[in-house]
Amino acid sequence: MKQTLYILAVCLLPISMHAATHEVTVKITNPTEMTRNDVPVELSVTDLQAPFDVRSVTVYVGNQEIASQADDLNGDGRADEVAFLLDMAPSAQTEARVVLCDTIVTTQRYKSRVYADMLIADKSKRKKKKHAPINSISTTNGKLYNYLHHHGPAFESELVAYRLYFDRKQTVDIYGKFNKGFEIKPSGWYPNDEQLAQGFGDDVLRVSGSCGVGTLKGWNGKKAIHIDPVLERRATILAYGPVRTVVEMAVKGWKYGDNYLNMTCRYKLYGGHRDAEVEVLFDAPLGNEVFCTGVQDIKGSQSYSDHKGLIACWGTDWPVNDTIKYAKETVGLATYVPSQVVVSEKKDKSNYLYQISAPGATSIRYYINFTSMKETFGYKTPEAWFSYVESWRKELDNPCRITINPKN
């Protein structure tokens, strides 16, 4: 079992005389007339040009320190990205002072706006199960699905929760909430009767063999296919907050057509967000491989497409096979793929899909989103959901501009 280092630390000033710091000013501009809340700001540590290995960060807006984190994304013990969140007024410009540090300092923690876990399932007969937390696991036989509690990593913001199946499906599954808050740790994804009576949410989608919401799949010319066969599978939680969680599903030696692919699907979920970013990384430039992604065709669902990369649906079905204890759930799903990687729009038996391809590239980025009608803070009609996802697409197409200015 592999273990992956993650960083959750804040570099505080004043700091030890033995610690090195490097300061930059970052200018963030909202190019739209939209008010934007909890705008993710991601900074490459390479672009920040610190003359040392970065291990923590402090961010100030004006004189106020705000929550931030420095994440090690490749497991080498050094931070690769800095992340924080900002609220932006229409056409506004904000400056943030970013102070990088070569030392991990943990004397202050911010209140986390995300949560993530992955647990080895306790298969004993005792009443109180003790599931062991892990942050990385790999297998060469692909049969660990039933040995992981909730079958893979789970992660959530205050609004929504996702889980990723640790098997050949790698399906993105969803958990809907009545109220904003964190539920995965106390419920373990499976709330008991007492928790349900208290107003806990629950799994709201039976994904079966579909792509759920935005799972990357292969394409065999007629339908989406699972990521199989492979030489190795790995699941890793790279960041646990406080601003965002970063979770990966990776495979080595995926026999896809005539090639063997090493591929990592990286999911980023920020505090205050119901949408997640999916970055698919390859260790070598792609050829003419065609993949697909989209949303599940829920039985009797209504679908919506802009035919350029946005696909959404709204439907109602039982979320699990138990139709006595559980009621039907109504959800809205959406996936947005930038048009430059879209090949064509497809429909198979289980999904509304886009074929995607990126010859010569080593990464593909797209976005996933969902709502549950049980939400007291969400969307109650297909019309409201489809209108929202159009606005969401426009916001993604017009990101805030970032300018980095090293301190003289």
Side-chain angles (χ1 to χ4, degrees), residues 58-200:
T58 310
V59 176
Y60 301 89
V61 175
N63 294 322
Q64 182 179 358
E65 182 181 343
I66 65 170
S68 62
Q69 65 190 73
D71 293 329
D72 171 19
L73 300 179
N74 61 9
D76 65 359
R78 300 183 289 269
D80 304 296
E81 284 187 358
V82 167
F84 54 94
L85 292 165
L86 289 176
D87 293 336
M88 300 290 294
S91 303
Q93 189 174 90
T94 299
E95 283 192 350
R97 185 162 58 92
V98 178
V99 183
L100 306 171
C101 181
D102 70 346
T103 303
I104 296 176
V105 182
T106 58
T107 55
Q108 178 179 334
R109 299 276 181 149
Y110 303 110
K111 181 180 179 180
S112 186
R113 298 186 60 190
V114 293
Y115 174 79
D117 70 25
M118 183 163 51
L119 306 168
I120 297 293
D122 182 350
K123 297 290 187 177
S124 69
K125 295 182 179 180
R126 56 190 171 194
K127 289 184 178 180
K128 289 188 177 182
K129 302 290 186 180
K130 294 184 178 180
H131 307 300
I134 55 174
N135 60 309
S136 188
I137 189 168
S138 64
T139 180
T140 56
N141 61 25
K143 296 180 180 180
L144 286 178
Y145 172 88
N146 287 321
Y147 291 90
L148 293 175
H149 187 64
H150 51 63
H151 304 306
F155 51 101
E156 66 178 329
S157 68
E158 306 99 314
L159 284 70
V160 295
Y162 296 88
R163 67 171 168 176
L164 308 174
Y165 284 176
F166 190 65
D167 64 3
R168 68 194 188 106
K169 298 177 184 178
Q170 291 195 189
T171 314
V172 182
D173 195 14
I174 56 175
Y175 178 111
K177 305 177 185 183
F178 286 99
N179 304 298
K180 294 181 181 180
F182 297 100
E183 299 186 10
I184 299 306
K185 185 175 182 179
S187 76
W189 192 273
Y190 308 108
N192 57 34
D193 291 345
E194 181 180 354
Q195 290 171 325
L196 291 171
Q198 293 170 356
F200 272 60

Side-chain angles (χ1 to χ4, degrees), residues 10-11 14-15 93 97 159 178 183 199 201 207 236 257 296 299 328 349 377:
V10 179
C11 180
I15 57 178
Q93 189 174 90
R97 185 162 58 92
L159 284 70
F178 286 99
E183 299 186 10
V207 296
T236 306
Q296 177 178 346
K299 186 177 181 181
K328 286 186 175 182
K349 182 179 178 180
F377 51 88

Side-chain angles (χ1 to χ4, degrees), residues 324-396:
I324 304 300
K325 179 179 178 180
Y326 295 93
K328 286 186 175 182
E329 298 281 359
T330 299
V331 298
L333 312 176
T335 295
Y336 175 52
V337 182
S339 60
Q340 57 266 33
V341 299
V342 171
V343 175
S344 64
E345 191 170 353
K346 296 288 184 180
K347 173 73 175 71
D348 68 8
K349 182 179 178 180
S350 302
N351 308 288
Y352 303 102
L353 299 165
Y354 280 106
Q355 288 182 312
I356 58 178
S357 185
T362 56
S363 66
I364 299 172
R365 190 187 308 264
Y366 63 95
Y367 305 86
I368 62 177
N369 209 334
F370 84 91
T371 188
S372 166
M373 201 170 75
K374 66 173 51 176
E375 296 170 353
T376 57
F377 51 88
Y379 303 90
K380 302 301 182 183
T381 66
E383 293 79 14
W385 175 241
F386 297 152
S387 176
Y388 160 74
V389 297
E390 267 290 350
S391 298
W392 171 60
R393 177 193 61 79
K394 291 176 182 177
E395 192 166 337
L396 291 171

